[in-house]
Amino acid sequence: MLYTELKTNQGIHGLTGQAQDGLCTLRWLWPRDAEAVYIEKVTQMSAVGEEEYSQSDQPDSAPASLRLYTKEEYKANNGSYTERVDHFGRMTYTVYLTYEEQGETVLVRQPDGQNTIELSAGKAKIYYSIKQQGTWFGKRKTVRIEVHAEVPIPKEVLCYVKKEGGYATNKDDGIIYPFAAPFQAGRNELPAIEVGKNEYVRLFFTDGRTYGQMYELILE
């Protein structure tokens, strides 16, 4: 499989997409003589919470996920391409024009980016609760954290922050502690934490800009 750059203005254009109710639908305008395309999908978070990457930046390699789709299939599907989405997070679709040359399949890259679109398949919800237990005259108290996740969560996604005198308002508003193990889908009861009587604990994303696009962190 080879790649070439678009040398005319007859590329894929008008690409739109929608992800809703577990389905993703793409529509685009075809050049006059095009009969088929390859559709590449790159997801930032897969169904098992791991990242997938395309290899399409290497000229002689196939991307991580390619599907041949003909103009006849497009017409038969009411002028669209539709697939089921069973994961959360961002996903990028690229629609490549394709043709055969000397027995090789050639995919056409478009520098203008009109054949690429980024969509969101929604955010996986992470619910957590924090319970504190101590004695009236004691100097220490026990904190128990419970996390309920819709999907497996890598340990690097979350941290807990301890602050004296009140709850932290962000991850830099106290002392940051990492988690030692990943979170399974479902209920995760974490080992108890001993803190000072006037110290408080709250969970945050380690990188809000990145992980906030994939997950929603909810205090119960």
Side-chain angles (χ1 to χ4, degrees):
M1 186 169 288
L2 303 174
Y3 290 86
T4 188
E5 297 288 331
L6 182 68
K7 298 180 175 62
T8 69
N9 60 356
Q10 295 298 308
I12 296 293
H13 59 285
L15 177 61
T16 62
Q18 182 180 30
Q20 187 175 3
D21 299 329
L23 294 175
C24 179
T25 301
L26 303 179
R27 291 184 172 87
W28 61 88
L29 299 177
W30 294 71
R32 181 183 304 172
D33 298 328
E35 295 298 330
V37 296
Y38 271 98
I39 300 173
E40 175 191 13
K41 176 183 178 181
V42 180
T43 59
Q44 186 162 351
M45 189 181 79
S46 72
V48 294
E50 297 177 348
E51 291 186 342
E52 299 174 359
Y53 297 96
S54 164
Q55 299 175 354
S56 60
D57 55 337
Q58 301 178 19
D60 56 352
S61 68
S65 175
L66 278 175
R67 177 178 174 181
L68 179 65
Y69 200 64
T70 67
K71 184 181 286 188
E72 290 303 315
E73 289 178 290
Y74 185 88
K75 291 178 180 178
N77 197 33
N78 297 317
S80 68
Y81 167 81
T82 301
E83 69 172 17
R84 183 163 296 280
V85 177
D86 59 358
H87 58 81
F88 297 94
R90 290 180 299 169
M91 49 193 179
T92 301
Y93 287 92
T94 302
V95 181
Y96 294 99
L97 289 174
T98 184
Y99 60 89
E100 295 291 321
E101 185 175 78
Q102 298 180 353
E104 291 279 0
T105 299
V106 180
L107 274 62
V108 181
R109 288 179 170 142
Q110 294 186 211
D112 60 12
Q114 292 193 46
N115 64 328
T116 297
I117 189 170
E118 184 176 288
L119 301 172
S120 173
K123 299 180 182 182
K125 291 182 173 58
I126 306 172
Y127 299 93
Y128 76 97
S129 62
I130 297 176
K131 297 180 180 179
Q132 304 178 99
Q133 184 178 7
T135 61
W136 184 260
F137 297 104
K139 295 182 179 180
R140 307 285 291 175
K141 62 184 177 184
T142 301
V143 175
R144 289 183 170 84
I145 301 173
E146 193 170 291
V147 175
H148 292 256
E150 290 187 326
V151 296
I153 308 294
K155 65 180 181 180
E156 296 81 11
V157 171
L158 297 175
C159 63
Y160 70 90
V161 177
K162 183 177 70 173
K163 181 181 178 180
E164 186 170 358
Y167 291 103
T169 57
N170 57 67
K171 74 179 183 69
D172 299 315
D173 189 29
I175 303 174
I176 302 174
Y177 295 88
F179 287 104
F183 302 89
Q184 303 300 315
R187 179 172 175 266
N188 298 261
E189 188 173 347
L190 307 182
I193 303 169
E194 293 292 325
V195 301
K197 184 177 181 178
N198 199 34
E199 293 178 326
Y200 298 85
V201 171
R202 180 161 286 177
L203 266 63
F204 293 95
F205 292 124
T206 56
D207 185 336
R209 177 173 295 182
T210 298
Y211 298 124
Q213 298 184 54
M214 306 179 196
Y215 310 100
E216 184 177 359
L217 187 58
I218 303 169
L219 175 62
E220 293 185 303

